[in-house]
CSV table of all heavy atoms in Angstrom, one decimal:
chain,number,residue,atom,x,y,z
O,1,ASP,N,168.0,12.6,176.9
O,1,ASP,CA,167.6,12.6,175.5
O,1,ASP,C,168.4,11.6,174.7
O,1,ASP,O,167.9,10.9,173.9
O,1,ASP,CB,167.9,14.0,175.0
O,1,ASP,CG,166.9,15.0,175.5
O,1,ASP,OD1,165.9,14.6,176.1
O,1,ASP,OD2,167.2,16.2,175.4
O,2,ALA,N,169.7,11.5,174.9
O,2,ALA,CA,170.5,10.5,174.2
O,2,ALA,C,170.3,9.1,174.7
O,2,ALA,O,170.2,8.2,173.8
O,2,ALA,CB,172.0,10.9,174.3
O,3,ALA,N,170.1,8.9,176.0
O,3,ALA,CA,169.9,7.6,176.5
O,3,ALA,C,168.6,7.0,176.1
O,3,ALA,O,168.5,5.8,175.9
O,3,ALA,CB,170.0,7.7,178.0
O,4,LEU,N,167.5,7.8,175.9
O,4,LEU,CA,166.2,7.3,175.5
O,4,LEU,C,166.4,6.6,174.1
O,4,LEU,O,165.8,5.6,173.8
O,4,LEU,CB,165.2,8.4,175.4
O,4,LEU,CG,164.5,8.8,176.7
O,4,LEU,CD1,163.7,10.0,176.5
O,4,LEU,CD2,163.6,7.6,177.2
O,5,ARG,N,167.1,7.3,173.2
O,5,ARG,CA,167.3,6.7,171.9
O,5,ARG,C,168.2,5.4,172.0
O,5,ARG,O,167.9,4.4,171.5
O,5,ARG,CB,168.0,7.7,170.9
O,5,ARG,CG,167.1,8.9,170.6
O,5,ARG,CD,166.1,8.7,169.6
O,5,ARG,NE,165.2,7.6,169.8
O,5,ARG,CZ,164.2,7.6,170.7
O,5,ARG,NH1,163.9,8.7,171.4
O,5,ARG,NH2,163.4,6.5,170.9
O,6,LEU,N,169.4,5.6,172.5
O,6,LEU,CA,170.3,4.5,172.5
O,6,LEU,C,169.9,3.3,173.4
O,6,LEU,O,170.2,2.2,173.2
O,6,LEU,CB,171.7,5.0,173.0
O,6,LEU,CG,172.9,4.0,172.8
O,6,LEU,CD1,173.0,3.6,171.3
O,6,LEU,CD2,174.2,4.6,173.3
O,7,GLY,N,169.0,3.6,174.4
O,7,GLY,CA,168.5,2.6,175.2
O,7,GLY,C,167.7,1.5,174.5
O,7,GLY,O,167.7,0.3,174.9
O,8,TRP,N,167.1,2.0,173.4
O,8,TRP,CA,166.3,1.0,172.6
O,8,TRP,C,167.3,0.1,171.8
O,8,TRP,O,167.0,-1.1,171.7
O,8,TRP,CB,165.3,1.7,171.7
O,8,TRP,CG,164.1,2.2,172.4
O,8,TRP,CD1,163.8,3.5,172.6
O,8,TRP,CD2,163.1,1.4,172.9
O,8,TRP,NE1,162.6,3.6,173.3
O,8,TRP,CE2,162.1,2.3,173.5
O,8,TRP,CE3,162.8,0.1,173.0
O,8,TRP,CZ2,161.0,1.9,174.1
O,8,TRP,CZ3,161.7,-0.4,173.7
O,8,TRP,CH2,160.7,0.6,174.2
O,9,ALA,N,168.4,0.6,171.3
O,9,ALA,CA,169.3,-0.2,170.7
O,9,ALA,C,169.9,-1.2,171.7
O,9,ALA,O,170.1,-2.4,171.3
O,9,ALA,CB,170.5,0.6,170.1
O,10,ALA,N,170.2,-0.8,172.9
O,10,ALA,CA,170.7,-1.7,173.9
O,10,ALA,C,169.7,-2.8,174.3
O,10,ALA,O,170.0,-3.9,174.5
O,10,ALA,CB,171.2,-0.9,175.1
O,11,ARG,N,168.4,-2.3,174.3
O,11,ARG,CA,167.4,-3.3,174.7
O,11,ARG,C,167.2,-4.4,173.6
O,11,ARG,O,167.0,-5.5,173.8
O,11,ARG,CB,166.0,-2.6,174.8
O,11,ARG,CG,164.8,-3.5,175.2
O,11,ARG,CD,165.0,-4.1,176.6
O,11,ARG,NE,164.0,-5.1,176.9
O,11,ARG,CZ,164.2,-6.3,177.2
O,11,ARG,NH1,165.5,-6.7,177.3
O,11,ARG,NH2,163.3,-7.1,177.5
O,12,ALA,N,167.4,-3.9,172.3
O,12,ALA,CA,167.4,-4.9,171.2
O,12,ALA,C,168.5,-5.9,171.3
O,12,ALA,O,168.3,-7.1,171.1
O,12,ALA,CB,167.4,-4.2,169.9
O,13,VAL,N,169.7,-5.4,171.7
O,13,VAL,CA,170.8,-6.3,171.8
O,13,VAL,C,170.6,-7.3,173.0
O,13,VAL,O,170.8,-8.5,172.9
O,13,VAL,CB,172.1,-5.5,172.0
O,13,VAL,CG1,173.3,-6.4,172.4
O,13,VAL,CG2,172.4,-4.7,170.7
O,14,ASN,N,170.3,-6.7,174.1
O,14,ASN,CA,170.3,-7.5,175.4
O,14,ASN,C,169.0,-8.4,175.4
O,14,ASN,O,169.1,-9.5,176.0
O,14,ASN,CB,170.2,-6.5,176.6
O,14,ASN,CG,170.4,-7.3,177.9
O,14,ASN,OD1,171.3,-8.1,178.0
O,14,ASN,ND2,169.5,-6.9,178.9
O,15,GLY,N,167.9,-8.0,174.8
O,15,GLY,CA,166.7,-8.7,174.9
O,15,GLY,C,166.5,-9.7,173.8
O,15,GLY,O,165.5,-10.5,173.8
O,16,HIS,N,167.3,-9.7,172.7
O,16,HIS,CA,167.2,-10.7,171.7
O,16,HIS,C,167.5,-12.1,172.2
O,16,HIS,O,168.6,-12.3,172.7
O,16,HIS,CB,168.0,-10.3,170.5
O,16,HIS,CG,167.8,-11.2,169.3
O,16,HIS,ND1,166.7,-11.2,168.5
O,16,HIS,CD2,168.6,-12.2,168.7
O,16,HIS,CE1,166.7,-12.1,167.6
O,16,HIS,NE2,167.9,-12.7,167.7
O,17,VAL,N,166.6,-13.0,172.0
O,17,VAL,CA,166.8,-14.3,172.6
O,17,VAL,C,167.3,-15.3,171.5
O,17,VAL,O,168.4,-15.7,171.6
O,17,VAL,CB,165.4,-14.8,173.2
O,17,VAL,CG1,165.6,-16.2,173.8
O,17,VAL,CG2,164.9,-13.9,174.2
O,18,ALA,N,166.5,-15.7,170.6
O,18,ALA,CA,166.9,-16.7,169.6
O,18,ALA,C,165.9,-16.7,168.5
O,18,ALA,O,164.7,-16.4,168.6
O,18,ALA,CB,167.0,-18.1,170.2
O,19,ALA,N,166.3,-17.0,167.3
O,19,ALA,CA,165.5,-17.0,166.1
O,19,ALA,C,164.3,-18.0,166.2
O,19,ALA,O,163.2,-17.8,165.6
O,19,ALA,CB,166.3,-17.4,164.9
O,20,ASP,N,164.5,-19.1,167.0
O,20,ASP,CA,163.4,-20.1,167.1
O,20,ASP,C,162.4,-19.8,168.3
O,20,ASP,O,161.5,-20.6,168.5
O,20,ASP,CB,164.0,-21.5,167.3
O,20,ASP,CG,164.9,-21.6,168.5
O,20,ASP,OD1,165.2,-20.6,169.1
O,20,ASP,OD2,165.2,-22.8,168.8
O,21,VAL,N,162.6,-18.7,169.0
O,21,VAL,CA,161.6,-18.3,170.0
O,21,VAL,C,160.5,-17.5,169.4
O,21,VAL,O,160.7,-16.5,168.8
O,21,VAL,CB,162.3,-17.5,171.1
O,21,VAL,CG1,161.3,-17.0,172.2
O,21,VAL,CG2,163.4,-18.3,171.8
O,22,PRO,N,159.2,-18.0,169.6
O,22,PRO,CA,158.1,-17.3,169.0
O,22,PRO,C,158.1,-15.8,169.4
O,22,PRO,O,158.3,-15.4,170.5
O,22,PRO,CB,156.9,-18.0,169.7
O,22,PRO,CG,157.4,-19.4,170.0
O,22,PRO,CD,158.9,-19.2,170.4
O,23,ASP,N,157.8,-15.0,168.4
O,23,ASP,CA,157.6,-13.6,168.5
O,23,ASP,C,158.9,-12.8,168.8
O,23,ASP,O,158.9,-11.6,168.9
O,23,ASP,CB,156.6,-13.2,169.5
O,23,ASP,CG,155.2,-13.8,169.2
O,23,ASP,OD1,154.9,-13.9,168.0
O,23,ASP,OD2,154.5,-14.2,170.1
O,24,ASP,N,160.1,-13.5,169.0
O,24,ASP,CA,161.3,-12.7,169.4
O,24,ASP,C,161.7,-11.8,168.3
O,24,ASP,O,162.2,-10.7,168.6
O,24,ASP,CB,162.4,-13.7,169.8
O,24,ASP,CG,163.6,-13.0,170.4
O,24,ASP,OD1,163.4,-12.3,171.5
O,24,ASP,OD2,164.7,-13.0,169.8
O,25,ALA,N,161.7,-12.2,167.0
O,25,ALA,CA,162.2,-11.4,165.9
O,25,ALA,C,161.3,-10.1,165.8
O,25,ALA,O,161.8,-9.0,165.6
O,25,ALA,CB,162.1,-12.2,164.6
O,26,GLU,N,160.0,-10.3,166.1
O,26,GLU,CA,159.1,-9.1,166.0
O,26,GLU,C,159.4,-8.2,167.1
O,26,GLU,O,159.4,-6.9,166.9
O,26,GLU,CB,157.6,-9.6,166.1
O,26,GLU,CG,156.6,-8.5,166.0
O,26,GLU,CD,155.2,-9.0,166.0
O,26,GLU,OE1,155.0,-10.2,165.9
O,26,GLU,OE2,154.3,-8.2,166.2
O,27,ARG,N,159.7,-8.7,168.3
O,27,ARG,CA,160.0,-7.8,169.5
O,27,ARG,C,161.3,-7.0,169.2
O,27,ARG,O,161.4,-5.8,169.5
O,27,ARG,CB,160.1,-8.6,170.8
O,27,ARG,CG,158.8,-9.1,171.4
O,27,ARG,CD,159.0,-9.6,172.8
O,27,ARG,NE,159.8,-10.8,172.8
O,27,ARG,CZ,159.2,-12.0,172.8
O,27,ARG,NH1,157.9,-12.2,172.7
O,27,ARG,NH2,160.0,-13.1,172.8
O,28,THR,N,162.3,-7.7,168.6
O,28,THR,CA,163.5,-7.1,168.3
O,28,THR,C,163.3,-6.0,167.3
O,28,THR,O,163.9,-4.9,167.4
O,28,THR,CB,164.6,-8.1,167.9
O,28,THR,OG1,164.8,-9.1,168.9
O,28,THR,CG2,165.9,-7.5,167.5
O,29,LEU,N,162.6,-6.3,166.3
O,29,LEU,CA,162.3,-5.3,165.2
O,29,LEU,C,161.6,-4.0,165.8
O,29,LEU,O,161.9,-2.9,165.5
O,29,LEU,CB,161.5,-5.9,164.1
O,29,LEU,CG,161.1,-4.9,163.0
O,29,LEU,CD1,162.4,-4.4,162.3
O,29,LEU,CD2,160.2,-5.6,161.9
O,30,THR,N,160.6,-4.2,166.7
O,30,THR,CA,160.0,-3.1,167.4
O,30,THR,C,161.0,-2.2,168.1
O,30,THR,O,160.9,-1.0,168.1
O,30,THR,CB,158.9,-3.6,168.3
O,30,THR,OG1,157.9,-4.3,167.6
O,30,THR,CG2,158.3,-2.5,169.1
O,31,ARG,N,161.9,-2.9,168.8
O,31,ARG,CA,162.9,-2.1,169.6
O,31,ARG,C,163.8,-1.3,168.6
O,31,ARG,O,164.2,-0.2,168.9
O,31,ARG,CB,163.7,-3.1,170.5
O,31,ARG,CG,162.8,-3.7,171.6
O,31,ARG,CD,163.4,-4.9,172.2
O,31,ARG,NE,162.5,-5.5,173.2
O,31,ARG,CZ,162.6,-6.7,173.6
O,31,ARG,NH1,163.5,-7.6,173.2
O,31,ARG,NH2,161.7,-7.2,174.5
O,32,LEU,N,164.2,-1.9,167.5
O,32,LEU,CA,165.0,-1.2,166.5
O,32,LEU,C,164.2,0.0,166.0
O,32,LEU,O,164.8,1.0,165.7
O,32,LEU,CB,165.4,-2.2,165.4
O,32,LEU,CG,166.4,-3.3,165.9
O,32,LEU,CD1,166.6,-4.3,164.7
O,32,LEU,CD2,167.7,-2.7,166.3
O,33,GLN,N,162.9,-0.2,165.7
O,33,GLN,CA,162.1,0.9,165.2
O,33,GLN,C,162.1,2.0,166.3
O,33,GLN,O,162.2,3.2,165.9
O,33,GLN,CB,160.7,0.4,164.9
O,33,GLN,CG,160.6,-0.5,163.7
O,33,GLN,CD,159.3,-1.1,163.5
O,33,GLN,OE1,158.5,-1.2,164.5
O,33,GLN,NE2,158.9,-1.5,162.3
O,34,MET,N,161.9,1.7,167.5
O,34,MET,CA,161.9,2.7,168.6
O,34,MET,C,163.3,3.4,168.6
O,34,MET,O,163.3,4.7,168.9
O,34,MET,CB,161.6,2.1,169.9
O,34,MET,CG,160.1,1.6,170.1
O,34,MET,SD,158.9,3.0,169.9
O,34,MET,CE,159.4,4.0,171.4
O,35,PHE,N,164.3,2.7,168.4
O,35,PHE,CA,165.7,3.3,168.4
O,35,PHE,C,165.8,4.4,167.3
O,35,PHE,O,166.2,5.5,167.6
O,35,PHE,CB,166.7,2.2,168.2
O,35,PHE,CG,168.1,2.7,167.8
O,35,PHE,CD1,168.7,3.7,168.5
O,35,PHE,CD2,168.7,2.1,166.7
O,35,PHE,CE1,170.0,4.2,168.1
O,35,PHE,CE2,170.0,2.6,166.3
O,35,PHE,CZ,170.6,3.6,167.0
O,36,LEU,N,165.4,4.1,166.1
O,36,LEU,CA,165.6,5.0,165.0
O,36,LEU,C,164.5,6.0,164.8
O,36,LEU,O,164.7,7.2,164.4
O,36,LEU,CB,165.8,4.2,163.7
O,36,LEU,CG,167.1,3.6,163.4
O,36,LEU,CD1,167.2,3.0,162.0
O,36,LEU,CD2,168.3,4.5,163.7
O,37,ASP,N,163.3,5.6,165.1
O,37,ASP,CA,162.1,6.4,164.8
O,37,ASP,C,161.5,7.1,166.1
O,37,ASP,O,160.7,8.0,165.9
O,37,ASP,CB,161.0,5.6,164.1
O,37,ASP,CG,161.6,4.9,162.9
O,37,ASP,OD1,162.5,5.5,162.2
O,37,ASP,OD2,161.1,3.8,162.5
O,38,GLY,N,161.8,6.5,167.2
O,38,GLY,CA,161.1,7.0,168.5
O,38,GLY,C,159.6,6.7,168.5
O,38,GLY,O,158.9,7.2,169.3
């Protein structure tokens, strides 16, 4: 239960590439939304 939530925060951190990579900011935002909102 705890890992499902925190795993999305970790995925946002580990999966964020760079500001100039297409769609990367959107993917990171989606992962942050999953972290807080499920």
Side-chain angles (χ1 to χ4, degrees):
D1 290 342
L4 279 171
R5 296 278 55 75
L6 191 55
W8 284 110
R11 180 70 187 123
V13 169
N14 189 48
H16 185 69
V17 181
D20 59 348
V21 174
D23 301 325
D24 188 61
E26 182 178 348
R27 285 192 293 267
T28 298
L29 180 59
T30 294
R31 292 160 184 163
L32 292 173
Q33 290 171 339
M34 289 298 296
F35 163 52
L36 285 188
D37 306 330

